[in-house]
Amino acid sequence: MIQTNFLVIGSGVAGLTFASKIAQALPDKTVTIVTKADEEESNTKYAQGGVAVVLDMKEDSFQKHIQDTLVAGDGLCNPEVVEMVVKKGPKRLKELMAWGASFDMDASGKLELGKEGGHSEHRVVHHKDLTGYEVERALLENLRRLPNVTMLPYHFAIDLITEHHLEVPKSKQVSCFGAYVLNQRAGEIITIKADSTLLATGGIGHVYGHTTNPVIATGDGIAMAYRAKAEIRDMEFVQFHPTALYTTKEGPSFLISEAVRGFGAILRDKNGHRFMPDYDERAELASRDIVSQSIDNELKKSGNTSVFLDCTHLDIDQFKRHFPTIYKECLANHIAIETDWIPVVPAAHYLCGGIVVDKDGRTSVNNLFACGECSRTGLHGANRLASNSLLEALVYAHNIYKYHVAHPTDSVNIAIPKWNDEGTRIPKEHILILHNLKKLQALMRDYVGIVRSNDRLAKAVLHLDLIYKEVEELYKNSKVTTTLCELRNMINVAHLTIGQSLKRKENKGGYYNIDNNTAS
């Protein structure tokens, strides 16, 4: 049993920012960070674009950034939340820089501001095409200096501890008392008792197979919160990144950043036709949902496996300076962008919904907070504006920290039973887990993808039910493993996504159902 004041599940920008702030402000309190891979592995690390923040008050304004966010969110953003996040952005960025995160500067020594799809002005601060990696590095360096922070890599959170696990009368208001966590190296399950728990577990991309997310993005936090009876909303709004590098390899798709289209790259079909102007007057700089739906339509019409991003007309030296990682990755795949087009397909990229939180990051479960991509704050509405995600994580991590300083939590004085796995065996049927994972990913890709229909969604419910029954039986009779728990979590996420898709009767932002007549 580990007892801690603050349990943070996840080691991306959301979790690390909160942990840094709370540990520095309350040096007599303990912070425990649980992360299922090594401490550097998270969605943050792969965020190429940057942090959207208003810094140039001559050309730009808070009002313009607010307006761009509301337009992208297609009428479903919470305007108060949008205003709060946009206005707090510059201060949070300065803190990040004070912690040692460096961003690209122009010749005059000012921050170089990029422009991405959906933004009316240049306002994206970046570190080449590895912004997330740089932010993660600075946060981890800062955390390692703090003596009251314990990092537990290769520890997988299985379930949140609520009254459901305790010998106590059920109450109307569910509370969280920590989590059961699998030490993956030792193979044992430990109980972590916490006064306050923060879910900062990132996204769900791996549920789709074709994804820009790392393989750890299996929706664990959302599934745990759902099982703990927290409110989950807007799961139908899965944002697909229009331009992931198309290869035949397994694993995460490499992202060709939106900023490449901002830099002037053009989308073409196999015959060289530039098709985006046929769909939207903004052409390649239309919002992600429009570009993804347009590519999806082109692929369905032609039967081709990809479309192409043409950079051959661009200044290649400038391209290499701005996008060195993308240039190298293309070369590694035998694509010389000076002469070759880059094959691209849409891939699951970002979840706009998740665990419902208020402005202080509080969920509907007592002492349980959520931050980052696993949370649903009301900022993104039906479609996230590019580079608003790192911004959201920074602002909400700060809000959650401020809330805890102002409202100290009581220590948990409840006896928590050990994890009980009597009568279970180590699953020898690893092939069953893998088989069901592949079935689930194919189901989500084919039936619950960019363009949906009521018929396909109804069929998806039936298919998912069969997978669910087989996996639940395996779970009840087996000792838990990370892969089995991840699959169970992904099934929960798929169930929420399909169910909430069926309930949405109008097309909005990233959600498009051919049976809904309302135009988005």
Side-chain angles (χ1 to χ4, degrees):
M1 155 94 72
I2 293 173
Q3 188 138 6
T4 188
N5 299 113
F6 300 101
L7 171 61
V8 177
I9 302 173
S11 63
V13 67
L16 297 183
T17 302
F18 169 76
S20 283
K21 291 189 169 191
I22 204 75
Q24 280 171 293
L26 305 173
D28 57 330
K29 301 282 187 187
T30 54
V31 181
T32 303
I33 303 171
V34 162
T35 182
K36 67 174 170 178
D38 87 34
E39 57 198 39
E40 292 178 2
E41 188 66 6
S42 71
N43 277 16
T44 297
K45 180 176 162 182
Y46 299 91
Q48 292 180 343
V51 185
V53 64
V54 175
L55 296 171
D56 175 2
M57 287 300 188
K58 277 200 201 84
E59 294 295 319
D60 204 357
S61 67
F62 287 141
Q63 204 42 53
K64 283 184 184 176
H65 189 178
I66 289 166
Q67 192 52 33
D68 291 345
T69 303
L70 293 173
V71 168
D74 204 4
L76 293 187
C77 302
N78 177 334
E80 282 178 34
V81 167
V82 174
E83 184 175 351
M84 175 193 77
V85 173
V86 166
K87 288 186 172 174
K88 286 188 172 185
K91 210 170 182 182
R92 301 288 80 86
L93 181 78
K94 286 191 180 96
E95 284 172 350
L96 203 51
M97 291 171 77
W99 283 346
S102 72
F103 298 100
D104 294 349
M105 303 285 183
D106 62 20
S108 66
K110 281 187 177 156
L111 281 167
E112 191 172 57
L113 302 176
K115 187 176 182 182
E116 294 180 0
H119 288 275
S120 55
E121 300 294 343
H122 288 74
R123 67 167 72 98
V124 180
V125 174
H126 48 84
H127 178 94
K128 298 194 167 43
D129 52 1
L130 287 170
T131 307
Y133 188 81
E134 171 60 14
V135 168
E136 182 103 341
R137 180 202 62 73
L139 286 166
L140 280 168
E141 265 181 34
N142 188 57
L143 266 173
R144 288 184 187 122
R145 292 194 286 268
L146 301 170
N148 54 335
V149 176
T150 304
M151 182 79 78
L152 297 177
Y154 301 101
H155 280 66
F156 179 80
I158 298 168
D159 258 326
L160 297 171
I161 299 165
T162 63
E163 287 85 353
H164 169 71
H165 301 92
L166 310 177
E167 304 286 319
V168 294
K170 297 281 177 281
S171 63
K172 275 186 187 167
Q173 175 69 49
V174 179
S175 295
C176 178
F177 306 105
Y180 289 114
V181 174
L182 172 66
N183 175 340
Q184 294 173 96
R185 285 179 167 156
E188 63 184 19
I189 293 167
I190 55 174
T191 306
I192 301 183
K193 196 186 206 181
D195 305 337
S196 176
T197 300
L198 172 66
L199 291 170
T201 49
I204 65 158
H206 204 52
V207 174
Y208 279 90
H210 264 314
T211 178
T212 60
N213 295 181
V215 290
I216 56 161
T218 51
D220 305 320
I222 293 167
M224 283 191 289
Y226 169 62
R227 292 195 294 269
K229 306 285 185 277
E231 189 187 350
I232 315 286
R233 207 186 303 162
D234 293 349
M235 291 293 289
E236 66 272 34
F237 296 119
V238 179
Q239 189 177 64
F240 289 80
H241 197 288
T243 53
L245 179 64
Y246 174 75
T247 67
T248 50
K249 293 180 208 155
E250 288 272 307
S253 310
F254 182 79
L255 188 66
I256 307 294
S257 169
E258 188 127 14
V260 171
R261 281 177 285 127
F263 193 70
I266 289 169
L267 281 162
R268 300 187 186 279
D269 66 15
K270 196 166 84 172
N271 303 319
H273 172 61
R274 182 187 181 188
F275 58 84
M276 272 315 298
D278 304 343
Y279 293 93
D280 194 286
E281 60 187 18
R282 294 168 294 176
E284 284 79 9
L285 289 180
S287 59
R288 288 175 175 184
D289 54 317
I290 304 281
V291 181
S292 295
Q293 285 165 24
S294 306
I295 294 173
D296 185 68
N297 196 41
E298 289 292 313
L299 296 178
K300 281 183 174 145
K301 269 192 329 195
S302 65
N304 294 328
T305 49
S306 75
V307 295
F308 297 89
L309 201 56
D310 178 6
C311 304
T312 56
H313 56 289
L314 301 175
D315 179 328
I316 299 302
D317 290 333
Q318 286 283 13
F319 187 99
K320 286 184 192 171
R321 190 172 79 77
H322 281 281
F323 311 111
T325 319
I326 293 171
Y327 184 80
K328 281 183 200 142
E329 182 68 23
C330 286
L331 270 187
N333 283 279
H334 313 294
I335 301 157
I337 66 154
E338 297 89 334
T339 52
D340 302 332
W341 297 346
I342 306 169
V344 291
V345 286
H349 183 56
Y350 191 86
L351 175 67
C352 297
I355 308 159
V356 175
V357 295
D358 66 8
K359 285 184 189 168
D360 296 315
R362 291 185 297 174
T363 69
S364 57
V365 171
N366 270 341
N367 304 328
L368 180 65
F369 294 75
C371 187
E373 191 175 348
C374 71
S375 69
R376 184 262 181 210
T377 63
L379 174 68
H380 307 306
N383 194 23
R384 174 185 68 111
L385 181 65
S387 290
N388 264 358
S389 46
L390 290 176
L391 171 70
E392 178 193 50
L394 292 170
V395 169
Y396 270 82
H398 180 81
N399 287 6
I400 296 167
Y401 140 74
K402 291 290 281 185
Y403 178 85
H404 278 95
V405 170
H407 306 86
T409 28
D410 298 329
S411 281
V412 173
N413 291 320
I414 256 172
I416 296 173
K418 282 186 173 174
W419 181 264
N420 182 0
D421 59 3
E422 275 174 36
T424 58
R425 61 194 186 320
I426 293 165
K428 293 188 173 58
E429 301 293 330
H430 188 72
I431 191 71
L432 276 184
I433 297 173
L434 201 61
H435 172 71
N436 278 302
L437 172 63
K438 294 280 176 238
K439 272 206 309 199
L440 177 69
Q441 289 175 331
L443 170 75
M444 293 302 283
R445 199 165 57 235
D446 298 341
Y447 291 78
V448 201
I450 296 167
V451 175
R452 299 173 198 173
S453 72
N454 292 342
D455 180 49
R456 268 180 293 182
L457 289 169
K459 286 191 170 90
V461 172
L462 300 175
H463 288 299
L464 184 65
D465 210 33
L466 296 172
I467 300 171
Y468 169 77
K469 282 179 179 144
E470 193 169 317
V471 172
E472 275 304 296
E473 194 177 324
L474 196 59
Y475 182 80
K476 283 192 182 97
N477 299 318
S478 305
K479 290 206 181 303
V480 300
T481 63
T482 302
T483 47
L484 179 55
C485 288
E486 284 180 330
L487 177 56
R488 191 170 174 245
N489 289 339
M490 287 191 271
I491 290 167
N492 284 164
V493 164
H495 167 74
L496 285 161
T497 306
I498 296 164
Q500 296 186 4
S501 293
L502 278 165
K503 283 186 182 144
R504 177 150 298 281
K505 298 302 177 200
E506 59 175 347
N507 294 332
K508 284 279 183 190
Y511 180 76
Y512 190 81
N513 182 329
I514 55 174
D515 297 316
N516 292 343
N517 294 322
T518 8
S520 102

